[in-house]
Amino acid sequence: MGVPPLKIPRALRKITETFARALAGQIDSSPSWTDFEWIVARAVAAMHGISPLLSNLVHWDGGPGWRQFLQHQRMHTAHRHARMNELLQRVDRKATEEGIPVLALKGTALHAMGLYAIGDRPMADIDLLVRPVDAKRMATVLELLGFRQSTVSFKERVFTPLHAHPPDELGEHSNNDLKIDLHERICERLPLCITDATEDIFPSQPRAGLNGYPSKSSLMIHLLLHAAGSMPTKVLRLLQLHDIALLSSQMSASDWKAILDTQSVRRLWWAFPPLKLTSRYYPSIIPGSVLSTLASECPLLLRNIAAGRKLFDVSYSYPWVDAFPGIEWSRSLPEALEYAANRLWPSANLLAARKHVAKSETWAHSEWSQLSQSRRVLRWIASRPTRPVTMHAVFAAIAQAS
């Protein structure tokens, strides 16, 4: 793929930050972008999951095909939402019959609260949380519904349709396969050690079938942990910050107090960076007392770095492969050294997962994905390699506009 022209990173940064301020209501007038930048804007909007929102919230003329792109994305998102709702109803019926309590996560819950209208918010997949004791039976339910387990990671099992199809090249498409991510716990690697928040999220007295979060506080904890887990590897999306801001606007002082309860706040050392980043673009949406309390629990180095971060720095828009991304999330020197060693000499499991991604993901069909670990290290030293996932979206947008 090679090193992109300097104008691509510059365009990615400019457009990402403009979109972030636009969704927060800080910008109204249409940006003075070149035709090339309007094309890159399609890639940024798709990567960040905000094309449908932009179609309603901003009324920019844009370059050739810009409005049509947004409108098509909204239409496909609405059609896909209908398919997901039908699948959720089937999951609910079957889980109820089998007596399995299931928590429908993130986007499903935000829609149920009315924070998004149909067509507003893309959902890449359906996330479900079950107790470990119910995981095997739930996997059988999903198989009966026409899905098969395709991959397993430390935090989820991914179920895909028996007859899967390659996804559309850019953004949302109503015909893209529906996937189900089955979780037995809610956790993230930060950046190496696993942080688990399941006990704050799963209902204490669930019923068979689909359940909602026990409280707004539990939903917020999940959104924050998911955002925190995305920041070290620079795969955060603007949609995640928008989720946090919308939910925060509905939270009372008692909701925040539940999060800052003395029994749990020390475990939330990771919550300050995503909240601080959200407050950068939505300055009045997060209570100052919440930010200051969580800042006091955040490790000093991470707190100082997070205070200066912008969305571009920790998101899909970031176009380079860093040698040690997110090392500042390490909570001790030994942990940082272990993380660095892991990056230089990855485990057999990580190499196997990397190989699977290279075969299964369209964006990973690149030179970088085929390189051995030793050649990757040499590239880190000698150059600044570009990220396949980011550049794939940019080139797909260019191809679409041609």
Side-chain angles (χ1 to χ4, degrees), residues 19-342:
F19 280 162
R21 287 181 282 130
L23 280 195
Q26 298 180 27
I27 296 176
D28 188 32
S29 58
S30 181
S32 299
W33 290 339
T34 65
D35 285 347
F36 172 75
E37 287 170 336
W38 281 110
I39 291 172
V40 176
R42 300 189 195 188
V44 175
M47 286 189 291
H48 286 270
I50 57 170
S51 303
L53 281 172
L54 288 173
S55 71
N56 266 9
L57 294 180
V58 299
H59 303 285
W60 301 340
D61 293 333
W66 168 248
R67 290 302 307 172
Q68 293 92 322
F69 169 74
L70 294 185
Q71 290 163 1
H72 286 159
Q73 287 290 282
R74 186 174 185 82
M75 176 192 70
H76 283 295
T77 300
H79 290 167
R80 189 171 168 82
H81 179 90
R83 290 179 62 206
M84 285 193 165
N85 263 358
E86 190 273 334
L87 176 56
L88 279 167
Q89 290 170 13
R90 292 167 60 204
V91 169
D92 185 28
R93 286 195 298 268
K94 202 66 179 172
T96 302
E97 291 172 7
E98 298 297 325
I100 304 173
V102 185
L103 177 57
L105 301 172
K106 293 184 302 188
T108 302
L110 293 167
H111 271 105
M113 290 179 63
L115 294 181
Y116 288 104
I118 293 174
D120 275 350
R121 188 189 189 280
M123 289 172 58
D125 43 45
I126 293 174
D127 286 273
L128 304 173
L129 174 64
V130 297
R131 297 173 300 197
V133 69
D134 294 322
K136 186 175 181 179
R137 288 196 299 147
M138 192 62 202
T140 301
V141 165
L142 298 182
E143 289 168 359
L144 291 172
L145 291 174
F147 291 80
R148 63 177 179 84
Q149 182 174 301
S150 57
T151 59
V152 180
S153 72
F154 71 96
K155 66 176 182 178
E156 65 195 7
R157 298 157 68 184
V158 179
F159 288 78
T160 53
L162 291 174
H163 306 289
H165 305 89
D168 196 59
E169 284 291 298
L170 184 67
E172 297 299 306
H173 196 286
S174 57
N175 292 329
N176 284 351
D177 289 335
L178 301 181
K179 296 189 301 179
I180 298 176
D181 292 348
L182 183 62
H183 303 257
E184 297 178 37
R185 58 179 180 168
I186 300 301
C187 60
E188 298 287 347
R189 290 194 188 277
L190 298 172
L192 185 65
C193 296
I194 292 179
T195 297
D196 193 312
T198 310
E199 67 179 83
D200 296 311
I201 293 169
F202 199 81
S204 58
Q205 296 181 318
R207 66 179 184 276
L210 291 182
N211 290 256
Y213 287 81
S215 66
K216 293 175 184 175
S217 303
S218 63
L219 174 54
M220 177 59 80
I221 288 174
H222 188 189
L223 294 182
L224 291 176
L225 181 59
H226 183 55
S230 302
M231 293 173 75
T233 49
K234 304 181 188 299
V235 295
L236 187 69
R237 298 191 301 163
L238 176 51
L239 183 64
Q240 291 173 261
L241 299 187
H242 199 67
D243 288 345
I244 292 169
L246 285 181
L247 180 58
S248 179
S249 71
Q250 303 296 308
M251 290 178 64
S252 65
S254 60
D255 292 325
W256 285 111
K257 186 176 183 299
I259 292 178
L260 301 181
D261 182 271
T262 53
Q263 293 181 355
S264 62
V265 69
R266 195 169 296 278
R267 293 188 290 109
L268 302 181
W269 62 269
W270 41 265
F272 174 72
L275 271 181
K276 179 64 177 177
L277 189 59
T278 302
S279 71
R280 174 183 287 276
Y281 303 103
Y282 303 83
S284 61
I285 208 70
I286 311 297
S289 59
V290 173
L291 282 172
S292 60
T293 299
L294 292 175
S296 68
E297 300 298 335
C298 186
L300 180 61
L301 176 62
L302 178 59
R303 181 168 74 235
N304 289 340
I305 291 176
R309 284 282 193 244
K310 293 184 178 180
L311 177 61
F312 170 81
D313 302 317
V314 292
S315 74
Y316 274 114
S317 295
Y318 188 80
W320 299 289
V321 178
D322 288 343
F324 307 108
I327 196 168
E328 69 274 10
W329 287 78
S330 304
R331 301 177 69 188
S332 66
L333 180 58
E335 185 182 341
L337 292 174
E338 184 182 359
Y339 171 67
N342 231 279

